[in-house]
Amino acid sequence: MNQGLIPSRYAKALYEFASEKGADKRVFDLMKTLSASFEAEPQLMKVMANPFVAPADKVKLLSTAAGVRQDSDDVFARFLQLLTENNRLDLTRDIALAYLKQYRADHGIRLVTVTSAAPLDKADEERLKKIIAAHLDGDTMDYRSAVDPDLIGGFVVTIDNEKLDASVANELKQLRLKLLN
């Protein structure tokens, strides 16, 4: 079976179950935190793929990485139990990303990432957010910022799969391509 299809099916089932229970927003927040944990700590993927780590330890690790509260996150706990029973804990990251995508699509949330060469000051960032919000036609945004000194100057705005590259590095690349032709 397609490796992308399996996580999508689990994410869809989780989304429908969480929606029925009124926990879809909470699971979205947990999946966001879990996804950020996978991004911040690449070793987490290796642990999930390691057959010598006990499934119970993997579940504890995933619960901690997602920021689970024992008293109110029953839907997420049942989800991890299902993954354990079906031997799919290694797909948790992909399922989390698929869940985030599903939730955003259903709630009109666009993923916006602004990458700049240096940290933006608050006034510039707020002005940029307003410009981006006007482009979203009423959708809300899940805003993130990042710094990449390799851009030299300027910024790159990514909205879902759209990309606006207004960086100095891109301008130099375009100039180089023109000179080579």
Coordinates of all heavy atoms in Angstrom, one line a residue, residues 1-93:
M1 N 0.8 -1.2 0.0 CA 0.0 0.0 0.0 C 0.9 1.2 0.0 O 2.0 1.2 0.5 CB -0.9 0.0 1.2 CG -2.3 0.1 1.0 SD -3.2 0.1 2.5 CE -4.8 0.6 1.9
N2 N 0.4 2.3 -0.6 CA 1.1 3.6 -0.6 C 1.3 4.1 0.8 O 0.4 4.2 1.6 CB 0.2 4.6 -1.5 CG 0.9 5.9 -1.6 OD1 1.9 6.2 -1.0 ND2 0.4 6.7 -2.5
Q3 N 2.6 4.5 1.1 CA 2.9 5.0 2.4 C 2.2 6.3 2.8 O 1.9 6.6 3.9 CB 4.5 5.2 2.5 CG 5.0 5.3 3.9 CD 5.0 4.0 4.7 OE1 4.4 3.0 4.2 NE2 5.5 4.1 5.9
G4 N 1.9 7.1 1.7 CA 1.1 8.3 2.0 C -0.4 8.1 2.2 O -1.1 8.9 2.8
L5 N -0.9 7.0 1.6 CA -2.3 6.7 1.7 C -2.7 6.2 3.1 O -3.7 6.6 3.7 CB -2.6 5.6 0.7 CG -4.1 5.2 0.6 CD1 -4.9 6.4 0.2 CD2 -4.3 4.1 -0.5
I6 N -1.8 5.4 3.7 CA -2.1 4.9 5.1 C -2.2 6.0 6.1 O -3.2 6.1 6.8 CB -1.0 3.8 5.5 CG1 -1.1 2.6 4.6 CG2 -1.2 3.4 6.9 CD1 0.1 1.6 4.7
P7 N -1.2 6.9 6.2 CA -1.4 8.0 7.1 C -2.6 8.9 6.9 O -3.3 9.3 7.8 CB -0.1 8.8 6.9 CG 0.9 7.9 6.4 CD 0.1 6.9 5.5
S8 N -2.9 9.1 5.6 CA -4.1 9.9 5.3 C -5.4 9.2 5.8 O -6.3 9.9 6.3 CB -4.2 10.1 3.8 OG -3.1 10.8 3.3
R9 N -5.5 7.9 5.7 CA -6.6 7.2 6.1 C -6.8 7.2 7.6 O -7.8 7.4 8.2 CB -6.6 5.7 5.6 CG -6.9 5.6 4.2 CD -7.0 4.2 3.7 NE -7.3 4.2 2.3 CZ -7.4 3.1 1.6 NH1 -7.0 1.9 2.1 NH2 -7.7 3.1 0.3
Y10 N -5.7 7.0 8.3 CA -5.7 7.1 9.8 C -6.0 8.5 10.2 O -6.8 8.7 11.2 CB -4.3 6.7 10.4 CG -4.2 5.3 10.6 CD1 -3.6 4.4 9.7 CD2 -4.6 4.7 11.8 CE1 -3.4 3.1 9.9 CE2 -4.4 3.3 12.0 CZ -3.9 2.5 11.0 OH -3.7 1.2 11.2
A11 N -5.5 9.5 9.5 CA -5.8 10.9 9.9 C -7.2 11.3 9.7 O -7.9 11.9 10.5 CB -4.9 11.9 9.1
K12 N -7.8 10.8 8.6 CA -9.2 11.0 8.3 C -10.1 10.4 9.4 O -11.0 11.0 9.9 CB -9.6 10.5 6.9 CG -11.0 10.8 6.5 CD -11.3 10.3 5.1 CE -12.7 10.6 4.8 NZ -13.1 10.1 3.5
A13 N -9.8 9.1 9.7 CA -10.6 8.4 10.7 C -10.5 9.1 12.1 O -11.5 9.3 12.8 CB -10.1 7.0 10.8
L14 N -9.3 9.6 12.4 CA -9.1 10.3 13.7 C -9.8 11.6 13.7 O -10.5 12.0 14.7 CB -7.6 10.5 13.9 CG -7.2 11.4 15.1 CD1 -7.7 10.8 16.4 CD2 -5.7 11.7 15.2
Y15 N -9.8 12.3 12.6 CA -10.5 13.6 12.4 C -12.0 13.4 12.6 O -12.6 14.1 13.4 CB -10.2 14.3 11.1 CG -10.8 15.6 10.9 CD1 -10.5 16.7 11.7 CD2 -11.9 15.7 10.0 CE1 -11.1 17.9 11.5 CE2 -12.5 16.9 9.9 CZ -12.2 18.0 10.6 OH -12.8 19.2 10.5
E16 N -12.5 12.4 12.0 CA -14.0 12.1 12.1 C -14.3 11.7 13.5 O -15.3 12.2 14.1 CB -14.4 11.1 11.1 CG -14.4 11.5 9.7 CD -14.6 10.4 8.6 OE1 -14.9 9.3 9.0 OE2 -14.6 10.7 7.4
F17 N -13.5 10.9 14.1 CA -13.8 10.5 15.5 C -13.7 11.6 16.5 O -14.5 11.8 17.3 CB -12.8 9.3 15.9 CG -13.0 8.8 17.3 CD1 -14.1 8.1 17.7 CD2 -12.0 9.1 18.3 CE1 -14.3 7.7 19.0 CE2 -12.2 8.6 19.6 CZ -13.4 7.9 19.9
A18 N -12.6 12.4 16.3 CA -12.4 13.6 17.2 C -13.5 14.6 17.0 O -14.0 15.2 18.0 CB -11.0 14.2 16.9
S19 N -14.0 14.8 15.8 CA -15.1 15.7 15.5 C -16.4 15.2 16.2 O -17.1 16.0 16.8 CB -15.4 15.8 14.0 OG -14.3 16.4 13.4
E20 N -16.6 13.9 16.2 CA -17.8 13.4 16.9 C -17.8 13.6 18.4 O -18.8 13.9 19.0 CB -17.9 11.9 16.6 CG -18.4 11.5 15.2 CD -18.3 10.0 15.0 OE1 -18.2 9.2 16.0 OE2 -18.4 9.5 13.9
K21 N -16.6 13.6 18.9 CA -16.4 13.7 20.3 C -16.2 15.2 20.7 O -16.0 15.5 21.9 CB -15.1 12.9 20.8 CG -15.3 11.4 20.6 CD -16.3 10.8 21.5 CE -16.4 9.3 21.4 NZ -17.4 8.7 22.1
G22 N -16.2 16.1 19.7 CA -15.9 17.5 20.0 C -14.5 17.8 20.4 O -14.3 18.8 21.1
A23 N -13.6 17.0 20.0 CA -12.2 17.1 20.4 C -11.3 17.4 19.2 O -10.1 17.4 19.4 CB -11.7 15.9 21.1
D24 N -11.9 17.8 18.1 CA -11.0 18.0 16.9 C -10.0 19.1 17.1 O -8.9 19.0 16.6 CB -11.9 18.2 15.6 CG -12.9 19.3 15.8 OD1 -13.4 19.5 16.9 OD2 -13.2 19.9 14.7
K25 N -10.4 20.2 17.7 CA -9.5 21.3 17.9 C -8.4 20.9 18.9 O -7.2 21.3 18.7 CB -10.3 22.5 18.5 CG -9.4 23.7 18.9 CD -8.8 24.4 17.8 CE -8.1 25.7 18.2 NZ -6.7 25.7 18.0
R26 N -8.7 20.2 19.9 CA -7.7 19.8 20.9 C -6.7 18.8 20.2 O -5.5 18.9 20.4 CB -8.3 19.1 22.1 CG -7.4 18.6 23.1 CD -6.5 19.6 23.7 NE -5.5 19.0 24.6 CZ -4.4 19.5 24.9 NH1 -4.0 20.6 24.5 NH2 -3.5 18.8 25.7
V27 N -7.2 17.9 19.4 CA -6.3 17.0 18.7 C -5.5 17.8 17.7 O -4.3 17.5 17.5 CB -7.1 15.8 18.0 CG1 -6.2 15.0 17.2 CG2 -7.8 15.0 19.1
F28 N -6.0 18.8 17.1 CA -5.3 19.6 16.2 C -4.1 20.3 16.9 O -3.0 20.2 16.4 CB -6.2 20.7 15.6 CG -5.4 21.8 14.7 CD1 -5.0 21.4 13.5 CD2 -5.2 23.0 15.2 CE1 -4.3 22.4 12.7 CE2 -4.6 24.0 14.5 CZ -4.1 23.7 13.2
D29 N -4.4 20.8 18.1 CA -3.3 21.4 18.9 C -2.2 20.4 19.3 O -1.0 20.6 19.3 CB -3.9 22.1 20.2 CG -4.7 23.3 19.8 OD1 -4.6 23.9 18.7 OD2 -5.6 23.6 20.7
L30 N -2.7 19.2 19.7 CA -1.7 18.1 20.0 C -0.9 17.7 18.8 O 0.3 17.5 18.9 CB -2.5 16.9 20.6 CG -3.2 17.0 21.9 CD1 -4.0 15.8 22.2 CD2 -2.1 17.3 23.0
M31 N -1.5 17.6 17.7 CA -0.8 17.2 16.5 C 0.2 18.3 16.0 O 1.3 18.0 15.5 CB -1.8 16.9 15.3 CG -2.6 15.6 15.5 SD -1.5 14.2 15.7 CE -2.6 12.9 15.4
K32 N -0.2 19.5 16.3 CA 0.7 20.6 16.0 C 2.0 20.6 16.8 O 3.1 20.7 16.4 CB 0.0 22.0 16.2 CG 0.0 22.9 15.1 CD -0.9 24.0 15.4 CE -0.2 25.4 15.3 NZ -1.1 26.5 15.4
T33 N 1.7 20.3 18.1 CA 2.9 20.2 19.1 C 3.7 19.0 18.7 O 4.9 19.0 18.7 CB 2.3 20.1 20.5 OG1 1.5 21.2 20.8 CG2 3.5 20.0 21.5
L34 N 3.1 17.9 18.4 CA 3.8 16.7 18.1 C 4.6 16.8 16.8 O 5.8 16.4 16.7 CB 2.8 15.5 17.9 CG 3.4 14.1 17.6 CD1 4.3 13.7 18.7 CD2 2.3 13.1 17.3
S35 N 4.0 17.5 15.8 CA 4.7 17.7 14.5 C 6.0 18.6 14.8 O 7.0 18.4 14.3 CB 3.8 18.4 13.5 OG 4.5 18.8 12.4
A36 N 5.8 19.6 15.6 CA 6.9 20.5 16.0 C 8.0 19.7 16.7 O 9.2 20.0 16.6 CB 6.4 21.7 16.8
S37 N 7.6 18.8 17.6 CA 8.6 18.0 18.3 C 9.4 17.1 17.3 O 10.6 16.9 17.5 CB 7.8 17.1 19.3 OG 7.2 17.8 20.3
F38 N 8.7 16.5 16.3 CA 9.4 15.7 15.3 C 10.4 16.6 14.6 O 11.5 16.2 14.2 CB 8.4 15.1 14.4 CG 7.9 13.7 14.8 CD1 6.6 13.6 15.3 CD2 8.7 12.6 14.9 CE1 6.1 12.4 15.7 CE2 8.2 11.4 15.3 CZ 6.9 11.3 15.7
E39 N 10.0 17.8 14.3 CA 10.8 18.7 13.5 C 12.0 19.2 14.4 O 13.2 19.2 13.9 CB 10.0 20.0 13.1 CG 10.7 20.8 12.0 CD 9.7 21.8 11.5 OE1 8.6 21.5 11.1 OE2 10.1 23.0 11.5
A40 N 11.8 19.5 15.6 CA 12.9 19.9 16.5 C 13.8 18.8 16.9 O 15.0 19.1 17.2 CB 12.3 20.6 17.8
E41 N 13.3 17.6 17.0 CA 14.2 16.5 17.5 C 14.1 15.3 16.5 O 13.3 14.4 16.6 CB 13.6 16.0 18.8 CG 14.6 15.1 19.5 CD 15.9 15.7 19.7 OE1 16.1 16.7 20.3 OE2 16.9 15.0 19.3
P42 N 15.0 15.3 15.5 CA 15.0 14.3 14.4 C 15.2 12.9 15.0 O 14.8 11.9 14.3 CB 16.2 14.7 13.5 CG 16.5 16.1 13.8 CD 16.0 16.4 15.2
Q43 N 15.8 12.7 16.2 CA 16.0 11.4 16.7 C 14.7 10.7 17.1 O 14.6 9.5 17.2 CB 16.8 11.5 18.0 CG 18.3 11.9 17.8 CD 19.0 10.8 17.1 OE1 18.6 9.7 16.9 NE2 20.3 11.1 16.8
L44 N 13.6 11.5 17.2 CA 12.3 11.0 17.5 C 11.8 10.0 16.4 O 11.3 9.0 16.8 CB 11.3 12.1 17.7 CG 9.9 11.8 18.3 CD1 10.1 11.0 19.6 CD2 9.1 13.1 18.5
M45 N 12.1 10.3 15.2 CA 11.7 9.4 14.1 C 12.5 8.1 14.2 O 11.9 7.0 14.0 CB 12.0 10.0 12.7 CG 10.9 11.0 12.2 SD 9.3 10.2 12.0 CE 9.7 9.1 10.7
K46 N 13.7 8.2 14.6 CA 14.5 7.0 14.7 C 14.0 6.1 15.8 O 14.0 4.8 15.7 CB 16.0 7.3 14.9 CG 16.7 7.9 13.7 CD 18.1 8.3 14.0 CE 18.7 9.0 12.8 NZ 20.0 9.5 13.0
V47 N 13.6 6.7 16.9 CA 13.1 5.9 18.1 C 11.8 5.2 17.6 O 11.5 4.1 17.9 CB 12.8 6.8 19.3 CG1 12.1 6.1 20.4 CG2 14.1 7.4 19.8
M48 N 10.9 5.9 16.9 CA 9.6 5.4 16.4 C 9.9 4.2 15.5 O 9.1 3.2 15.5 CB 8.8 6.4 15.8 CG 8.2 7.5 16.7 SD 7.2 6.8 18.0 CE 8.2 7.2 19.4
A49 N 10.9 4.2 14.7 CA 11.2 3.2 13.8 C 12.0 2.0 14.4 O 12.1 0.9 13.8 CB 12.0 3.7 12.6
N50 N 12.5 2.2 15.6 CA 13.3 1.2 16.3 C 12.5 0.1 16.8 O 11.7 0.3 17.7 CB 14.2 1.8 17.4 CG 15.2 0.9 18.0 OD1 15.1 -0.3 17.9 ND2 16.2 1.5 18.6
P51 N 12.6 -1.2 16.3 CA 11.8 -2.3 16.8 C 12.2 -2.7 18.2 O 11.4 -3.5 18.8 CB 12.1 -3.4 15.8 CG 13.4 -3.1 15.2 CD 13.5 -1.6 15.2
F52 N 13.3 -2.3 18.7 CA 13.8 -2.7 20.1 C 13.2 -1.8 21.2 O 13.4 -2.1 22.4 CB 15.3 -2.8 20.1 CG 15.9 -3.8 19.2 CD1 16.6 -3.4 18.0 CD2 15.7 -5.1 19.4 CE1 17.1 -4.3 17.2 CE2 16.2 -6.1 18.5 CZ 16.9 -5.7 17.4
V53 N 12.6 -0.7 20.8 CA 11.9 0.2 21.8 C 10.5 -0.4 22.0 O 9.8 -0.5 21.0 CB 11.9 1.6 21.4 CG1 11.2 2.5 22.4 CG2 13.4 2.1 21.2
A54 N 10.1 -0.6 23.2 CA 8.8 -1.2 23.5 C 7.7 -0.2 23.1 O 7.9 1.0 23.3 CB 8.7 -1.4 25.0
P55 N 6.6 -0.7 22.5 CA 5.5 0.1 22.1 C 5.0 1.0 23.3 O 4.7 2.2 23.1 CB 4.4 -0.8 21.7 CG 5.2 -2.0 21.2 CD 6.4 -2.1 22.2
A56 N 5.0 0.5 24.5 CA 4.5 1.3 25.6 C 5.4 2.5 25.9 O 5.0 3.6 26.2 CB 4.5 0.5 26.9
D57 N 6.7 2.4 25.6 CA 7.7 3.5 25.8 C 7.5 4.5 24.6 O 7.6 5.7 24.9 CB 9.1 3.0 25.8 CG 9.5 2.2 27.0 OD1 8.8 2.3 28.1 OD2 10.4 1.3 27.0
K58 N 7.2 4.0 23.5 CA 6.9 4.9 22.3 C 5.7 5.7 22.6 O 5.7 6.9 22.3 CB 6.8 4.1 21.0 CG 8.0 3.4 20.5 CD 7.8 2.6 19.3 CE 9.1 1.9 18.8 NZ 8.8 1.2 17.5
V59 N 4.7 5.1 23.1 CA 3.4 5.8 23.4 C 3.7 6.9 24.5 O 3.2 8.0 24.3 CB 2.3 4.8 23.9 CG1 1.1 5.6 24.5 CG2 1.9 3.9 22.7
K60 N 4.4 6.6 25.5 CA 4.8 7.6 26.5 C 5.5 8.7 25.9 O 5.3 9.9 26.2 CB 5.6 6.9 27.7 CG 4.8 6.1 28.6 CD 5.7 5.5 29.7 CE 5.0 4.4 30.5 NZ 5.9 3.7 31.4
L61 N 6.5 8.4 25.1 CA 7.3 9.4 24.4 C 6.4 10.3 23.5 O 6.5 11.5 23.5 CB 8.4 8.8 23.6 CG 9.4 9.7 22.9 CD1 10.1 10.5 24.0 CD2 10.4 8.9 22.1
L62 N 5.5 9.7 22.7 CA 4.6 10.5 21.8 C 3.7 11.3 22.7 O 3.4 12.5 22.3 CB 3.9 9.5 20.9 CG 4.7 8.8 19.8 CD1 3.8 7.7 19.2 CD2 5.1 9.9 18.8
S63 N 3.2 10.8 23.7 CA 2.3 11.6 24.6 C 3.0 12.8 25.2 O 2.4 13.9 25.2 CB 1.7 10.7 25.7 OG 0.9 9.7 25.2
T64 N 4.2 12.6 25.6 CA 5.0 13.7 26.1 C 5.3 14.7 25.0 O 5.2 15.9 25.2 CB 6.3 13.2 26.8 OG1 6.0 12.3 27.8 CG2 7.1 14.4 27.3
A65 N 5.7 14.2 23.9 CA 6.0 15.1 22.8 C 4.8 15.9 22.3 O 5.0 17.0 21.8 CB 6.6 14.3 21.6
A66 N 3.6 15.4 22.4 CA 2.4 16.1 22.0 C 1.9 17.0 23.1 O 1.0 17.8 22.8 CB 1.4 15.1 21.6
G67 N 2.3 16.9 24.3 CA 1.8 17.7 25.4 C 0.5 17.2 25.9 O -0.4 18.0 26.3
V68 N 0.3 15.9 26.0 CA -0.9 15.3 26.4 C -1.2 15.6 27.9 O -0.3 15.5 28.7 CB -0.9 13.8 26.1 CG1 -2.1 13.1 26.8 CG2 -1.0 13.5 24.7
R69 N -2.4 16.0 28.2 CA -2.9 16.1 29.6 C -3.7 14.8 29.9 O -4.7 14.5 29.2 CB -3.8 17.3 29.8 CG -3.1 18.6 29.6 CD -4.0 19.8 29.9 NE -5.3 19.7 29.3 CZ -5.8 20.5 28.4 NH1 -5.1 21.5 28.0 NH2 -7.0 20.3 27.9
Q70 N -3.3 14.1 30.8 CA -3.9 12.8 31.1 C -5.4 12.8 31.3 O -6.1 11.9 30.9 CB -3.2 12.1 32.4 CG -1.7 11.8 32.2 CD -1.4 10.9 31.0 OE1 -2.3 10.1 30.6 NE2 -0.2 11.0 30.5
D71 N -5.9 13.9 31.9 CA -7.3 13.9 32.3 C -8.2 14.3 31.1 O -9.4 14.0 31.2 CB -7.5 14.9 33.4 CG -7.0 16.3 33.0 OD1 -6.1 16.4 32.2 OD2 -7.5 17.3 33.6
S72 N -7.7 14.9 30.1 CA -8.7 15.4 29.0 C -8.3 15.0 27.6 O -9.0 15.5 26.7 CB -8.7 16.9 29.1 OG -7.5 17.4 28.8
D73 N -7.4 14.1 27.4 CA -7.0 13.8 26.1 C -7.2 12.3 25.7 O -6.4 11.6 25.2 CB -5.5 14.1 25.8 CG -5.3 15.6 25.9 OD1 -6.2 16.4 25.4 OD2 -4.3 16.1 26.4
D74 N -8.4 11.8 26.0 CA -8.8 10.4 25.8 C -8.8 10.1 24.3 O -8.4 9.0 24.0 CB -10.2 10.2 26.4 CG -10.6 8.7 26.3 OD1 -9.8 7.9 26.7 OD2 -11.7 8.4 25.9
V75 N -9.2 11.0 23.5 CA -9.3 10.7 22.0 C -7.9 10.4 21.5 O -7.7 9.4 20.8 CB -9.9 11.9 21.3 CG1 -9.8 11.7 19.8 CG2 -11.4 12.0 21.7
F76 N -6.9 11.2 21.9 CA -5.6 11.0 21.5 C -5.0 9.7 22.1 O -4.3 9.0 21.4 CB -4.7 12.2 21.9 CG -3.3 12.2 21.3 CD1 -3.2 12.6 20.0 CD2 -2.2 11.8 22.0 CE1 -1.9 12.6 19.4 CE2 -1.0 11.8 21.4 CZ -0.8 12.2 20.1
A77 N -5.3 9.4 23.3 CA -4.8 8.2 23.9 C -5.4 7.0 23.2 O -4.7 6.0 22.9 CB -5.2 8.1 25.4
R78 N -6.7 7.0 22.8 CA -7.3 5.9 22.1 C -6.7 5.8 20.7 O -6.5 4.7 20.2 CB -8.8 6.1 22.0 CG -9.5 5.9 23.3 CD -11.0 6.0 23.3 NE -11.6 5.0 22.5 CZ -12.8 4.9 22.2 NH1 -13.7 5.8 22.7 NH2 -13.3 3.9 21.5
F79 N -6.3 6.9 20.1 CA -5.7 6.9 18.8 C -4.3 6.2 18.9 O -4.0 5.3 18.1 CB -5.5 8.4 18.3 CG -4.5 8.5 17.2 CD1 -4.7 8.0 15.9 CD2 -3.3 9.2 17.4 CE1 -3.8 8.2 14.9 CE2 -2.4 9.4 16.4 CZ -2.7 8.9 15.1
L80 N -3.5 6.5 19.9 CA -2.2 5.9 20.1 C -2.4 4.4 20.4 O -1.6 3.6 19.9 CB -1.4 6.6 21.2 CG -0.9 8.0 20.9 CD1 -0.2 8.5 22.1 CD2 0.0 8.0 19.7
Q81 N -3.4 4.0 21.1 CA -3.7 2.6 21.4 C -4.0 1.9 20.1 O -3.5 0.8 19.8 CB -4.9 2.5 22.3 CG -5.3 1.1 22.7 CD -6.5 1.0 23.6 OE1 -7.1 2.1 23.9 NE2 -6.9 -0.2 24.0
L82 N -4.8 2.5 19.2 CA -5.1 1.9 17.9 C -3.8 1.7 17.0 O -3.6 0.7 16.4 CB -6.1 2.8 17.1 CG -6.4 2.3 15.7 CD1 -7.2 1.0 15.7 CD2 -7.2 3.4 14.9
L83 N -2.9 2.7 17.0 CA -1.7 2.6 16.3 C -0.8 1.5 16.9 O -0.2 0.8 16.1 CB -0.9 4.0 16.3 CG -1.5 5.1 15.6 CD1 -0.6 6.3 15.7 CD2 -1.8 4.8 14.1
T84 N -0.8 1.4 18.2 CA 0.0 0.3 18.8 C -0.6 -1.0 18.4 O 0.2 -1.9 18.0 CB -0.1 0.5 20.4 OG1 0.4 1.7 20.7 CG2 0.7 -0.6 21.0
E85 N -1.9 -1.2 18.5 CA -2.5 -2.5 18.1 C -2.2 -2.9 16.7 O -2.1 -4.0 16.4 CB -4.0 -2.4 18.4 CG -4.4 -2.4 19.8 CD -5.9 -2.1 20.1 OE1 -6.6 -1.9 19.1 OE2 -6.2 -1.9 21.2
N86 N -2.2 -1.9 15.8 CA -2.0 -2.1 14.4 C -0.5 -2.0 13.9 O -0.2 -2.0 12.7 CB -2.9 -1.2 13.5 CG -4.3 -1.5 13.7 OD1 -4.7 -2.6 14.0 ND2 -5.2 -0.5 13.5
N87 N 0.3 -1.9 14.9 CA 1.8 -1.8 14.6 C 2.1 -0.6 13.7 O 2.9 -0.8 12.7 CB 2.2 -3.1 14.0 CG 3.5 -3.6 14.6 OD1 4.0 -3.0 15.6 ND2 4.1 -4.6 14.0
R88 N 1.5 0.5 13.9 CA 1.7 1.7 13.0 C 2.3 2.9 13.8 O 2.2 4.0 13.2 CB 0.4 2.1 12.4 CG -0.3 1.1 11.6 CD 0.4 1.0 10.3 NE -0.4 0.1 9.3 CZ 0.0 -0.4 8.2 NH1 1.3 -0.1 7.9 NH2 -0.7 -1.1 7.5
L89 N 2.9 2.7 14.9 CA 3.5 3.9 15.7 C 4.5 4.6 14.9 O 4.7 5.8 15.0 CB 4.0 3.4 17.0 CG 3.0 3.1 18.1 CD1 3.6 2.5 19.3 CD2 2.2 4.4 18.5
D90 N 5.2 3.9 14.0 CA 6.2 4.5 13.2 C 5.7 5.5 12.2 O 6.4 6.4 11.6 CB 7.1 3.5 12.4 CG 6.3 2.6 11.5 OD1 5.1 2.3 11.8 OD2 6.8 2.2 10.4
L91 N 4.4 5.5 11.9 CA 3.7 6.4 11.0 C 3.1 7.7 11.7 O 2.5 8.5 11.0 CB 2.6 5.7 10.2 CG 3.0 4.6 9.3 CD1 1.8 3.9 8.7 CD2 4.0 5.1 8.2
T92 N 3.4 7.8 13.0 CA 2.7 8.9 13.7 C 3.0 10.3 13.2 O 2.1 11.1 13.1 CB 3.1 8.8 15.2 OG1 2.9 7.5 15.7 CG2 2.3 9.8 16.0
R93 N 4.2 10.5 12.8 CA 4.6 11.9 12.2 C 3.8 12.1 11.0 O 3.2 13.2 10.8 CB 6.0 12.0 12.0 CG 6.4 13.3 11.3 CD 7.9 13.3 11.0 NE 8.2 14.5 10.2 CZ 8.1 14.6 8.9 NH1 7.8 13.6 8.2 NH2 8.4 15.8 8.3

